Amino acid sequence: MDSQRSMLQTGLQTGMLPARRFLVLFLPTWPTDYLKRRDGKLTTPLALYERIKGGLRLAAIDAEAGRAGLSVGQNLADARAMVPGLTVLELDRPLLEAAFADFADWHSNASPLVAVMHDVAGFGDLVLDITGVAHLFGGERAMLAMLLTRLRELGYAVSGAIAPTIGAAWAVSHFARSQVVEPPDLDRVLDALPAAALRLDAAQIAGLTQMGLKAIGQLRSRERKPLQARFGVSLLLRLDQAFGHIEERMTPRLPPAERYAERRFADPIGLMDDVLMTAHDLAIQLAIRLETEGLGGQAFHLFLYRVDHQVMTLSVNSARLSRDPEHITKLFTHRSERLEGAYDAGFGIDMIRLAVSSVGALDAAQLGAFTQRDATEDLDQLHDRMSSRLGPMVVLRTQFQASHIPERAARLVPAIAHVPGDDQPRPDLVRPLRLLPAPETILINAEVPDGLPASMIWRRISYRLIKASGPERLGAEWWRSGQRLQLVPQEVPKKGEQKPYIPNLARFTPDAVSRDYYVVEDADGHRFWIYRQGLDPTQSEIGWYLHGIFS
């Protein structure tokens, strides 16, 4: 990524953008190869079928089935008649697409920008943006050979190509031998390929064949308007994308990380202690880079690349911008404790990458004997470590909202989701620390209808009130018209347990009328927060409710 950034800066200064280079890997029999690696008991020839238009047809075949004369789209009964010893399984498309997505993520150890090409199928084609990356592998040809070799050693049939455009790399990988196409040779190589190399649908290919247009070079010599009228604009789009006249963008599977540190191992490692020691070393490297740029990060991601084309990802978050290597390492240490038996190094880990996202400006701080340190930083780091060990939804804090209705004035959010200044309530408001899940109906005796409460009955217990202050009137929030609050559901008692007391809750509509809140105290010193709903005693919705209890 450093090379990509420097090339881009040079291109902007000289007025020229760097030439893009793409690598496409074509795995024609990936579904069957994957299943045979997953289950070593499967015999060949192997074919996968699915129901298409009411019939059972072959959706994928292995190399041996192809040599026996079978083809994708063939009727299952005909295939079994042609090859009596054929092993057939039903195609599980969601499983294969998810597995191929993980397979694509594993290739991010070669390039951080990897995408699955869904033009033809949900699995089988990978594209890597290798601009500024190939020199790490000794050049483009060495990089292509390395990727093809390691996949073939894993038992996958694969071909690949490198070209200036995604369309050209796809065409060469499918319809020519594996090779590297340089920009001056792009036109010559593509013109010799069949028209199907443009990723056209079956109807377009059949129409071109009827017209005698079998090669891409023949299409370029024809008038564009008749071709568009006959085959649609998609034909011209694919043609222009292949030759680089129109840019074709890829959607990376993993978000590109501009700042990361990585380490490759000559011999794979497997112990979590070794992984955490490596993460600490990478955190130091990453911290030096962030300090040089005057940045800090809040989200850190640890990618563990296994030798069996699997990727494990550990992500942690910080409440505030940080680049402290010790703190980052502790977050991953606590996060690993929650893995329990989920951690599986397989046959070993041959590469570890530590990336940072959600970066922002973080000035350097000088520490010394007379430096006054921000005490809240230690509290935030404690929240980070607890959230990493227990989970972000376990460690919560109160966040105040812009509402004067008590139920809406605060909510619980993860402690690490801290925004400075969002936890400052109004100091002039008298509020209890404990609110009931929902206001409960009470009976009140008052000297006069609008006077202070003298006694109350709550949950069949009578309280004599000796002190009271108020009222504090809260009006309805008219902008929330049509919205209603939901009561907290009661827990169902387990078998053999005593049923809890369920109060008789009246229908509670906080937006209907205003409320008059009182702070009252009984003879034993208990303080309650009660309110009267409604202003006119003659109205039917008038009522008293207990909303909170003071400590």
Side-chain angles (χ1 to χ4, degrees):
M1 294 300 294
D2 293 336
S3 177
Q4 288 179 318
R5 189 180 301 104
S6 62
M7 289 177 61
L8 180 58
Q9 293 175 352
T10 304
L12 293 175
Q13 295 173 358
T14 59
M16 296 177 58
L17 291 176
R20 311 300 298 179
R21 300 292 287 175
F22 298 96
L23 188 154
V24 170
L25 295 174
F26 172 46
L27 297 101
T29 58
W30 184 87
T32 54
D33 294 341
Y34 168 76
L35 293 178
K36 285 188 289 187
R37 278 185 50 84
R38 185 181 180 186
D39 185 1
K41 297 180 180 179
L42 288 178
T43 59
T44 58
L46 174 63
L48 307 180
Y49 70 92
E50 64 179 347
R51 186 175 297 276
I52 302 177
K53 296 181 180 180
L56 300 181
R57 298 186 179 278
L58 299 186
I61 58 175
D62 64 358
E64 186 173 345
R67 288 191 294 267
L70 302 184
S71 61
V72 175
Q74 189 175 6
N75 187 279
L76 178 59
D78 296 339
R80 280 177 165 166
M82 293 176 57
V83 184
L86 180 65
T87 302
V88 294
L89 296 173
E90 186 175 2
L91 178 73
D92 190 346
R93 190 170 294 274
L95 171 66
L96 292 176
E97 290 181 355
F100 193 74
D102 296 337
F103 181 77
D105 294 342
W106 179 65
H107 283 80
S108 60
N109 58 8
S111 172
L113 301 178
V114 183
V116 177
M117 299 185 67
H118 299 279
D119 303 276
V120 178
F123 38 79
D125 294 310
L126 291 179
V127 56
L128 290 73
D129 187 343
I130 62 170
T131 306
V133 175
H135 71 280
L136 301 175
F137 302 88
E140 293 183 349
R141 287 176 172 79
M143 181 179 185
L144 178 61
M146 185 272 292
L147 294 180
L148 296 179
T149 300
R150 72 176 185 178
L151 288 177
R152 288 166 181 165
E153 290 177 349
L154 291 173
Y156 293 103
V158 61
S159 61
I162 298 177
T165 66
I166 297 176
W170 189 93
V172 174
S173 65
H174 282 67
F175 295 90
R177 60 181 178 85
S178 299
Q179 58 182 296
V180 176
V181 180
E182 301 294 342
D185 302 328
L186 180 63
D187 294 353
R188 176 184 58 81
V189 173
L190 288 181
D191 286 344
L193 297 180
L198 294 176
R199 290 173 289 167
L200 306 177
D201 56 40
Q204 290 174 322
I205 296 174
L208 292 173
T209 303
Q210 292 177 357
M211 295 179 60
L213 302 176
K214 298 181 180 180
I216 296 178
Q218 294 176 304
L219 294 179
R220 291 211 300 158
S221 62
R222 301 295 293 262
E223 292 290 337
R224 295 174 64 90
K225 289 186 178 180
L227 289 176
Q228 179 178 347
R230 175 71 182 275
F231 302 101
V233 69
S234 61
L235 172 63
L236 301 182
L237 176 63
R238 291 302 190 191
L239 190 64
D240 291 337
Q241 288 177 342
F243 286 91
H245 304 312
I246 295 179
E247 182 182 7
E248 181 178 2
R249 298 181 179 271
M250 58 180 291
T251 303
R253 278 272 312 160
L254 300 176
E258 296 184 358
R259 298 167 181 86
Y260 64 88
E262 63 183 29
R263 174 170 297 177
R264 301 175 186 269
F265 303 99
D267 296 321
I269 64 174
L271 297 178
M272 177 56 72
D273 292 341
D274 296 336
V275 172
L276 295 176
M277 291 176 59
T278 305
H280 181 262
D281 295 340
L282 296 178
I284 295 176
Q285 300 178 27
L286 194 60
I288 295 175
R289 177 175 177 181
L290 292 175
E291 185 177 7
T292 303
E293 300 180 15
L295 300 174
Q298 285 188 280
F300 300 90
H301 315 279
L302 193 66
F303 300 95
L304 310 179
Y305 294 88
R306 294 171 21 176
V307 296
D308 54 349
H309 66 268
Q310 295 289 334
V311 183
M312 296 182 61
T313 305
L314 299 179
S315 298
V316 296
N317 295 281
S318 174
R320 62 170 63 192
L321 293 172
S322 175
R323 55 173 178 257
D324 183 3
E326 301 297 333
H327 179 55
I328 298 172
T329 305
K330 288 181 180 179
L331 293 182
F332 283 111
T333 301
H334 297 321
R335 175 67 180 87
S336 64
E337 294 176 357
R338 289 196 298 141
L339 293 177
E340 297 179 354
Y343 172 74
D344 181 13
F347 295 102
I349 299 170
D350 59 359
M351 176 179 154
I352 296 179
R353 175 182 294 162
L354 176 62
V356 59
S357 59
S358 300
V359 297
L362 181 62
D363 296 333
Q366 182 177 358
L367 300 179
F370 303 100
T371 302
Q372 184 176 2
R373 186 176 179 181
D374 186 5
T376 61
E377 181 179 356
D378 294 335
L379 182 60
D380 288 339
Q381 291 187 359
L382 175 62
H383 289 161
D384 294 343
R385 294 193 295 269
M386 293 175 62
S387 299
S388 298
R389 173 174 292 178
L390 305 176
M393 299 306 298
V394 176
V395 185
L396 305 176
R397 67 177 184 85
T398 301
Q399 182 185 62
F400 292 92
Q401 304 294 304
S403 175
H404 59 265
I405 300 298
E407 301 90 334
R408 297 193 179 105
R411 66 173 182 173
L412 294 177
V413 298
I416 59 176
H418 177 71
V419 179
D422 67 347
D423 54 356
Q424 301 297 326
R426 288 179 53 184
D428 58 327
L429 296 179
V430 180
R431 295 289 185 267
L433 294 178
R434 177 185 176 189
L435 289 180
L436 299 179
E440 298 185 11
T441 305
I442 58 176
L443 297 178
I444 287 291
N445 290 326
E447 297 178 358
V448 293
D450 294 333
L452 295 176
S455 65
M456 76 172 185
I457 299 177
W458 173 47
R459 295 185 178 180
R460 303 191 188 101
I461 301 177
S462 178
Y463 298 85
R464 186 172 65 88
L465 306 178
I466 60 176
K467 295 181 181 180
S469 63
E472 176 190 354
R473 178 161 296 173
L474 298 180
E477 295 181 342
W478 54 267
W479 57 90
R480 297 183 182 272
S481 176
Q483 298 187 13
R484 295 179 180 270
L485 295 179
Q486 296 181 356
L487 298 180
V488 177
Q490 297 289 337
E491 295 184 359
V492 179
K494 298 180 180 179
K495 186 177 181 180
E497 294 183 356
Q498 186 179 2
K499 294 184 178 181
Y501 172 77
I502 301 179
N504 183 20
L505 299 179
R507 184 178 180 183
F508 181 59
T509 54
D511 297 333
V513 291
S514 300
R515 311 178 192 177
D516 288 340
Y517 277 88
Y518 297 86
V519 179
V520 298
E521 183 177 337
D522 68 354
D524 296 329
H526 302 129
R527 299 177 67 207
F528 306 96
W529 201 39
I530 65 176
Y531 71 88
R532 180 182 65 230
Q533 181 172 282
L535 303 177
D536 187 359
T538 63
Q539 296 179 357
S540 59
E541 66 266 17
I542 192 71
W544 287 87
Y545 298 87
L546 174 64
H547 203 164
I549 301 174
F550 289 90
S551 298

